[in-house]
Amino acid sequence: RKEVEQDPGPFNVPEGATVAFNCTYSNSASQSFFWYRQDCRKEPKLLMSVYSSGNEDGRFTAQLNRASQYISLLIRDSKLSDSATYLCAVKRRTGGFKTIFGAGTRLFVKA
Amino acid sequence: DVKVTQSSRYLVKRTGEKVFLECVQDMDHENMFWYRQDPGLGLRLIYFSYDVKMKEKGDIPEGYSVSREKKERFSLILESASTNQTSMYLCASSLSYGNTEAFFGQGTRLTVV
């Protein structure tokens, strides 16, 4: 079983739709949580960190449920430019601080 | 502006060659990582380093080794390249503490023929 699991999708949604992604993690020692965005043929870049109380950045809302060990990302009012792969990531301490990624969820927003 | 630089964007090597992928960061980050990314498999951690000369295996270390002699530089070595190591290789770095993100290089597309 992978340490971080995501539904690979793809999710095909119309512009203006609301879409939600979930991600589960298996190691309860995970300390920090993130959503990254990766455009085609580009490197991943941070979309937002995920805080225990949940956090929002414009049309994007991230939630963390430590008891059930999952994080979620909600995108409201989807835009064509939101089409990308969304990767969740967790950070935990081993000798140093290791960042583990899920395989990513592909989102296509169509006009 | 933060920067992680990988030495090559594209690389073609022959089976059995020893291959070096270099990564440099200018952010004084403690942690550096090597991932490979394959369709359907996502980003898989090969090795990471949390300090000079310190390293830990990731999920898929077989066939790879790493070197970190200076804080800013982290090298991935393919001891004897094989065709199943054809992939996109991504280097990243991060601070250790808190909710700090990883920054990625632009990636190296390695083809082993």
Side-chain angles (χ1 to χ4, degrees), chain A residues 52-97:
Chain A
S52 296
S53 54
N55 49 301
E56 191 173 301
D57 182 3
R59 298 181 293 108
F60 299 85
T61 301
Q63 298 277 355
L64 168 63
N65 185 319
R66 284 191 185 268
S68 301
Q69 296 185 193
Y70 77 83
I71 62 174
S72 64
L73 177 68
L74 185 77
I75 305 175
R76 290 181 300 278
D77 188 23
S78 298
K79 311 290 184 193
L80 294 175
S81 57
D82 294 333
S83 297
T85 297
Y86 292 84
L87 300 146
C88 66
V90 303
K91 193 171 174 182
R92 65 176 173 84
R93 184 163 199 141
T94 54
F97 282 86

Side-chain angles (χ1 to χ4, degrees), chain A residues 2 32-34 36 38 41 43-44 46 49-51 87 91 94-103, chain B residues 31 33 35 37 41-43 45 48 50 56-57 90 94-102 104-106:
Chain A
K2 291 182 182 177
S32 303
F33 307 89
F34 308 88
Y36 285 76
Q38 185 175 24
R41 302 185 193 282
E43 73 273 21
L46 182 72
S49 301
V50 187
Y51 301 115
L87 300 146
K91 193 171 174 182
T94 54
F97 282 86
K98 188 178 187 177
T99 302
I100 306 291
F101 286 82
Chain B
N31 298 321
F33 308 86
Y35 299 89
Q37 188 169 34
L41 298 175
L43 276 167
L45 183 64
F48 84 107
Y50 52 92
E56 279 192 30
K57 292 180 181 179
L90 286 156
S94 76
L95 290 168
S96 284
Y97 61 87
N99 223 19
T100 52
E101 79 229 57
F104 283 85
Q106 77 276 31

Side-chain angles (χ1 to χ4, degrees), chain B:
Chain B
D1 204 15
V2 297
K3 202 137 186 184
V4 179
T5 304
Q6 294 182 228
S7 51
S8 306
R9 288 297 301 271
Y10 300 94
L11 216 49
V12 180
K13 295 291 181 181
R14 294 194 182 279
T15 302
E17 275 193 79
K18 191 168 185 175
V19 181
F20 293 85
L21 302 183
E22 308 284 347
C23 176
V24 177
Q25 50 99 0
D26 65 359
M27 297 167 281
D28 203 34
H29 285 172
E30 297 89 2
N31 298 321
M32 294 188 76
F33 308 86
W34 277 106
Y35 299 89
R36 64 177 281 179
Q37 188 169 34
D38 301 286
L41 298 175
L43 276 167
R44 293 182 291 167
L45 183 64
I46 304 171
Y47 268 99
F48 84 107
S49 167
Y50 52 92
D51 201 349
V52 174
K53 297 190 190 295
M54 304 303 286
K55 62 186 179 186
E56 279 192 30
K57 292 180 181 179
D59 298 320
I60 50 164
E62 298 78 20
Y64 303 94
S65 62
V66 289
S67 172
R68 193 162 180 207
E69 297 295 320
K70 293 186 177 182
K71 191 174 185 180
E72 68 269 19
R73 187 178 296 269
F74 191 36
S75 303
L76 179 70
I77 303 150
L78 286 66
E79 298 291 343
S80 176
S82 64
T83 54
N84 63 13
Q85 292 178 308
T86 292
S87 187
M88 171 66 81
Y89 289 88
L90 286 156
C91 174
S93 72
S94 76
L95 290 168
S96 284
Y97 61 87
N99 223 19
T100 52
E101 79 229 57
F103 293 89
F104 283 85
Q106 77 276 31
T108 297
R109 168 69 64 185
L110 172 67
T111 303
V112 183
V113 298

